[in-house]
Each structure stands twice: as structure tokens, then as C-alpha cells.
Amino acid sequence: MMLPRSLLILKLVALLTIIFFTVFYVWETNAPNLGQPLKWDCYSTTIPSFDQEKYSDTRIFIGIFTTKEKLARRQMIRETYLLHKPENIEYKFVMVASQVPKELELEIEEFNDILTLNMTQENMNEGKTYEYFKTMSERVDDKIDFVLKADDDSYLHLDRIEYDLSHTDRNMSYWGYLVGDTFMGGLCYGLSFDLVQWVAKSPIPRKYKEGHEDSQVQKWFRWSHIDDQVKYEVRNCRIHDYIDSGSFYSKEIDLDNTMIVHYLKNDDHFINTHQTLSATY
């Protein structure tokens, strides 16, 4: 027996509604929330008041995200900006490695500066950021005030990062350069340790850990209704892309202010940035 026309139409509408909301859900949880671009200058940023008293004994952990095959880049980093690491900054190279190959075992044994995440797939959108912050939340014995996540194609002026974060509120702080008017870009951003612990304990990040990697962090805050409590510590005038990258966020190095330079995929650009900023240490 054929169904009445009205019932067929009703079922079709219901099916289309389900498809629409399924597509919208997948898009919302995976697409970057770019918002509106901000001007790349000091007038569209917040800077801590360096006149205020500096927090003493600020402890900073930096996870430099890399992949197993990038030994040469890790060595370049060890021989450049890591030579200027302040004592209160700790770092590890972070990579996915459910099984550690022999050559990586030798590197770990020699340098003891690699943190492996026990995941099966190396993919920026498969929850690597969540697993990193969750792992770092377990560091309760050794005091940490800020946990940063950086790319291995970023050059970090560690003295300036340390000085900046030593003047930054240690509670509910989300620090970095703001992409659009929404989330902190993945070249290098950080959370105060209370937010790191929140990421590990809250059900929303665990449920929505997969998606556009760094944009997902701001979505966790928004979907959990704590976004208005988070302090956005924006450093857009001190963090930028390399001038020759041609990106919206590229600009010349400012010897007085530049803190992080990104998009240094070319080794010559990385070394050139190091040589330029070396005079400021």
C-alpha cells in the first residue's frame, strides 16, 4: 500500500532536517572560527603593564610540536634559541609516537627533551592538542604557571616570553596572537595552569577534542559558557609571521618588540631570524 502524499513529504522533510543538522554539527566542530581579521599592530592588542611588580618564580612549560622525521629542525632549535633559555622555562619537543623507533630512542636518550603522546595517528585535527594539555595537567608535583604550545617553524625569543608571562595574570589567562576576533593562533599560544586543568576535567573538551586543532580551544570555552571568564591576553604586535611568508600576519622583525616569528619552514629563514634577534639577548 502506498503511503499518503502528505506522509511522504513529512518523512522527506524530517530526513532533510536530519541531514542539515548533521552537516552543521560536523562543520561547527571541525571548521576554524576565523572571525574578523585584526590589524597587526600594537593598537589592536593588550600588553601587560610592565610597571606593575613582576610575579616572582613564574614557571613556564613550552611544548614544541614536531614530528619524528624532523630531527634536523629539532637540532637547529637546540642550537639557536634554546641556548638562551631562562632557568624558569622548561621545554619538550612533543610528537605522536605510539611506538618509538630506534632512531628516536637514541635521540631521547641523548637529549631527554622529547614528550611522546600515545596516539595512533599523526594528525593535527585528531585531538593532539587535547591530549597534550591533558598530559600536562598531571604535572601537579612540579609547579607550573603557564603551559605553552608552539610550532617547530616558530622562533621563540624566550627572554621576552618569560618577561611577558611574568607580568601576566596566572588565573584564567589565554595568551597568544588572536586570529580574527576568536582564537589564539597555533604558532605559539598558552594557557594558565588552571585552564589546563579545566581542559583535562571538563566534559566538553573531552567530547569535542577532534576538530580544527587550535580553534577548538576557544570553542571549548564558548560551549562550556566560561568564555566571559577567560582573560584574553592578546600579543598581536609581538607575534607575527616571517616577512617573506606573504601571509596576512607577516611583518618585519621589530628589534624592540618581536617575541615570536612564525612560518620559518625554510632553514635559511630560521637562521636569518636567529641572527637578527641574537643582538637583543
Side-chain angles (χ1 to χ4, degrees):
M1 185 177 78
M2 293 184 62
L3 293 174
R5 182 181 179 85
S6 59
L7 185 57
L8 285 173
I9 293 174
L10 185 62
K11 286 190 172 184
L12 178 60
V13 170
L15 178 61
L16 291 175
T17 301
I18 291 171
I19 292 173
F20 171 80
F21 280 106
T22 300
V23 171
F24 178 79
Y25 170 82
V26 172
W27 178 84
E28 175 70 8
T29 54
N30 289 278
N33 48 340
L34 297 178
Q36 296 299 316
L38 294 180
K39 288 182 65 179
W40 214 239
D41 57 41
C42 290
Y43 299 103
S44 58
T45 190
T46 57
I47 299 177
S49 172
F50 294 136
D51 293 330
Q52 74 182 29
E53 183 179 354
K54 178 179 177 181
Y55 291 111
S56 61
D57 69 349
T58 300
R59 300 291 301 178
I60 301 162
F61 184 96
I62 303 177
I64 306 167
F65 275 52
T66 184
T67 53
K68 295 187 287 291
E69 66 274 9
K70 291 186 177 179
L71 171 59
R73 174 50 63 102
R74 290 193 291 278
Q75 195 58 30
M76 183 178 296
I77 292 173
R78 293 182 183 113
E79 294 173 356
T80 53
Y81 70 73
L82 285 178
L83 295 179
H84 302 278
K85 183 181 72 67
E87 290 185 0
N88 58 332
I89 289 183
E90 180 183 351
Y91 80 94
K92 294 285 186 184
F93 290 104
V94 181
M95 65 183 73
V96 170
S98 56
Q99 294 183 337
V100 180
K102 183 62 177 178
E103 59 271 18
L104 187 57
E105 285 183 3
L106 295 175
E107 186 181 355
I108 292 173
E109 182 178 336
E110 181 176 0
F111 297 103
N112 191 31
D113 64 356
I114 291 176
L115 170 65
T116 58
L117 301 177
N118 187 19
M119 300 174 64
T120 58
Q121 188 173 0
E122 172 61 56
N123 189 307
M124 64 176 276
N125 295 331
E126 295 294 330
K128 188 166 59 174
T129 296
Y130 171 78
E131 293 299 334
Y132 168 62
F133 284 128
K134 181 174 179 290
T135 298
M136 293 309 304
S137 75
E138 299 167 1
R139 282 280 303 270
V140 294
D141 294 333
D142 299 328
K143 173 182 174 292
I144 302 176
D145 297 299
F146 294 96
V147 176
L148 273 56
K149 173 183 177 291
D151 286 345
D152 64 3
D153 65 340
S154 295
Y155 185 94
L156 313 182
H157 194 303
L158 297 177
D159 279 350
R160 290 178 176 171
I161 291 174
E162 187 273 338
Y163 190 77
D164 186 296
L165 288 171
S166 293
H167 290 81
T168 300
D169 197 323
R170 298 174 176 179
N171 298 308
M172 300 295 287
S173 286
Y174 183 28
W175 177 97
Y177 84 84
L178 197 64
V179 176
D181 52 4
T182 52
F183 70 98
M184 300 299 182
L187 61 90
C188 184
Y189 68 93
L191 302 177
S192 54
F193 194 67
D194 57 346
L195 281 178
V196 173
Q197 292 178 311
W198 176 86
V199 168
K201 295 176 182 178
S202 173
I204 293 294
R206 182 170 62 251
K207 182 177 181 180
Y208 300 105
K209 62 183 178 181
E210 297 181 7
H212 187 272
E213 184 178 25
D214 301 306
S215 146
Q216 205 74 353
V217 174
Q218 192 271 344
K219 291 179 183 178
W220 296 337
F221 300 152
R222 180 159 49 89
W223 293 342
S224 300
H225 306 293
I226 69 163
D227 196 43
D228 59 344
Q229 303 170 43
V230 174
K231 301 181 186 76
Y232 279 66
E233 298 286 350
V234 182
R235 304 292 187 265
N236 284 21
C237 63
R238 310 193 75 201
I239 303 173
H240 56 85
D241 285 349
Y242 188 69
I243 185 60
D244 289 346
S245 68
S247 80
F248 180 82
Y249 305 110
S250 64
K251 73 184 193 82
E252 293 281 2
I253 291 173
D254 181 340
L255 290 178
D256 295 323
N257 288 298
T258 291
M259 186 163 55
I260 298 165
V261 181
H262 176 237
Y263 225 97
L264 300 169
K265 301 183 185 302
N266 181 293
D267 288 348
D268 290 338
H269 292 169
F270 193 98
I271 294 300
N272 178 62
T273 299
H274 174 66
Q275 291 172 342
T276 301
L277 287 172
S278 288
T280 66
Y281 287 110

